[in-house]
Amino acid sequence: MAMVPQPLLILLFFLSLLSIVNSSPSQHIQIVDAERRIDLTSHIIKVYLTLKVENLGTSAASEVLLTFSPAEVEHLALLKAAATSGKRKKKTYVPLDVKSAEQPDGPNGTKFFSITLLTPLSKGETTTLEVLYILTRSLEPFPVEISQSEPQLVYFRDSAILLSPYHVKQQTTFLKTPSTRVESFTVVDPTKRAGTELKYGPYENHPPYSYSPVLVHFENNNPFAVVEELEREIEISHWGSIQVTERYSLVHAGAQHKGVFSRVEYQTRPGGTGVSSFKHLLAKLPPRVHSVYYRDGIGNISSSHLRTDSRKSELEIEPRYPLFGGWKATFVIGYGLPLQDFLFESPDGRRYLNFTFGCPLVETVVDKLIVKVVLPEGSKDPTAEIPFEVKQHLEIKYSYLDVVGRTVVVLEKRNVVPEHNTRFQVYYGFNPIFMLAEPLMLVSAFFLLFVTSVAYLHIDLSIRK
């Protein structure tokens, strides 16, 4: 078999890359202006992207593609887009459908997501899109281990140039850090730093799939609170209440703590030691909550404060010890809610639960969230409506006085952020006659006990001579 010369192989590689670029869809679209604002003030990275898109082709375009690197796709928690019109206070937003594009990957494994426009974009027309995407676990602590008295420094990696399948006429990227302490950053002229903001650009006329890596090393002492697993059990009782039980497995996902922990130093120098640790958590619960408890494996924890009013309830909890990098805590939060606030009847006669998905803890990432909705015994044909993709299946749970068991709707989602705290519905059919099952069982049990007692008292078991 004849060997292919190396220069020919290089030529073939560049021709294949050029064919990928030229064959990518909607090449007649160009981005007139792109502005990215990357918020690095928390461990949850929020990217606000504004795109002004123009159709230079002869045919109408019905979708616009977004491109992400494999690392971004792995840590992508949320992606949504909206079409905008008007300016400033009169600006209006219309949500658009965003989904993973069914087409081959781009160069270097880049992934595509498709934004479906409300109306196709004709030749020469422009439209403005607002995109929000959220990344988790994308800040790398460096150094990876710190002592109690050291601040936490992290790396952030990205590109000064927007990764896009289209030609970008002009673009600018802004990075906002939590403080003015920035150890180092990559310079891609023009680059400007002012206070907590780092500006890359403006850059002009970059071809598709342009990429210019940047690395920013900065201080971030905000709590890196990550719930490795959260199980929320929502049990419905048609006798007037909903009982919620939440089981948390929490970890501090920042730089690992090294050395010994001095509680005396931690308490006497609250602003100078353990600045990246946290000892308080805030849970936002539904209004009119009652019978609240907070406990861990040892027992009940009294260091919690509940504030309630007609619109919201806030539970401030304090674990038994402050959490440093790598430290974990497991605990349970439980509370009751009035049934009439969350259970309703649909026009077709079915009942449905209208509850909040996600994690009640503020500024927390959940690696794995399991929501279990326990329906009353006798419920049938349950269906769930969630505004994003989740895994669903059914289980059976047995409780007191149950005969056939209760149907449990199980919803599972990974990489959950506070923006997932939206309403979801679980619909089910129910015959009210089943509400009499447990009372009849109790009455029957007491009646049998009474009959047995009367029979026992009237039976003469003595031995007569």
Side-chain angles (χ1 to χ4, degrees), residues 139-386:
L139 297 179
E140 306 171 27
F142 188 83
V144 295
E145 292 184 346
I146 57 174
S147 65
Q148 181 175 333
S149 59
E150 291 179 297
Q152 179 174 258
L153 301 176
V154 296
Y155 276 141
F156 174 68
R157 306 173 189 272
D158 205 329
S159 171
I161 307 299
L162 175 67
L163 181 62
S164 174
Y166 310 118
H167 178 273
V168 184
K169 196 171 182 180
Q170 180 173 302
Q171 59 182 301
T172 311
T173 298
F174 299 89
L175 279 74
K176 183 176 178 58
T177 57
S179 66
T180 57
R181 183 180 176 183
V182 178
E183 297 292 301
S184 63
F185 59 90
T186 306
V187 176
V188 182
D189 290 328
T191 302
K192 182 181 178 181
R193 181 191 168 198
T196 60
E197 187 175 82
L198 187 61
K199 178 182 178 182
Y200 285 98
Y203 305 113
E204 296 182 351
N205 295 321
H206 277 272
Y209 303 106
S210 297
Y211 195 85
S212 180
V214 295
L215 180 65
V216 184
H217 192 202
F218 61 97
E219 180 179 353
N220 189 337
N221 291 316
N222 289 289
F224 279 39
V226 175
V227 179
E228 293 181 318
E229 182 170 315
L230 167 59
E231 181 181 300
R232 303 183 72 197
E233 185 178 85
I234 306 164
E235 186 169 350
I236 302 173
S237 171
H238 284 171
W239 293 99
S241 68
I242 294 176
Q243 183 62 39
V244 182
T245 305
E246 300 171 347
R247 301 174 180 88
Y248 292 85
S249 178
L250 181 70
V251 65
H252 188 309
Q256 300 288 307
H257 177 73
K258 68 177 180 179
V260 297
F261 167 63
S262 172
R263 184 173 288 275
V264 174
E265 182 181 357
Y266 187 82
Q267 292 178 340
T268 55
R269 299 177 53 203
T273 180
V275 290
S276 64
S277 67
F278 58 90
K279 61 179 181 179
H280 294 96
L281 295 167
L282 181 64
K284 293 189 175 181
L285 306 180
R288 301 180 63 189
V289 69
H290 62 83
S291 306
V292 181
Y293 63 88
Y294 163 50
R295 65 170 184 257
D296 60 9
I298 300 176
N300 189 55
I301 304 175
S302 59
S303 51
S304 61
H305 307 280
L306 178 65
R307 299 183 293 270
T308 63
D309 58 33
S310 59
R311 294 177 297 176
K312 66 180 184 301
S313 301
E314 293 183 343
L315 177 65
E316 184 180 4
I317 61 178
E318 182 178 342
R320 293 184 184 273
Y321 49 85
L323 266 69
F324 286 81
W327 291 15
K328 298 184 178 182
T330 57
F331 54 89
V332 177
I333 298 176
Y335 50 91
L337 296 167
L339 184 68
Q340 63 271 20
D341 291 353
F342 301 94
L343 191 68
F344 307 94
E345 187 172 347
S346 61
D348 60 358
R350 304 176 74 199
R351 305 190 185 196
Y352 68 93
L353 174 75
N354 187 29
F355 210 75
T356 303
F357 195 86
C359 176
L361 297 182
V362 175
E363 285 299 305
T364 303
V365 175
V366 182
D367 287 342
K368 181 180 180 181
L369 172 63
I370 302 173
V371 177
K372 295 185 176 182
V373 180
V374 183
L375 303 177
E377 189 176 28
S379 301
K380 59 182 181 179
D381 302 327
T383 57
E385 293 186 1
I386 306 97

Side-chain angles (χ1 to χ4, degrees), residues 374-407:
V374 183
L375 303 177
E377 189 176 28
S379 301
K380 59 182 181 179
D381 302 327
T383 57
E385 293 186 1
I386 306 97
F388 34 78
E389 185 177 352
V390 299
K391 294 181 179 179
Q392 301 184 36
H393 67 273
L394 299 179
E395 293 179 352
I396 298 295
K397 176 183 178 180
Y398 290 91
S399 185
Y400 302 106
L401 302 178
D402 286 344
V403 177
V404 297
R406 305 185 183 190
T407 302

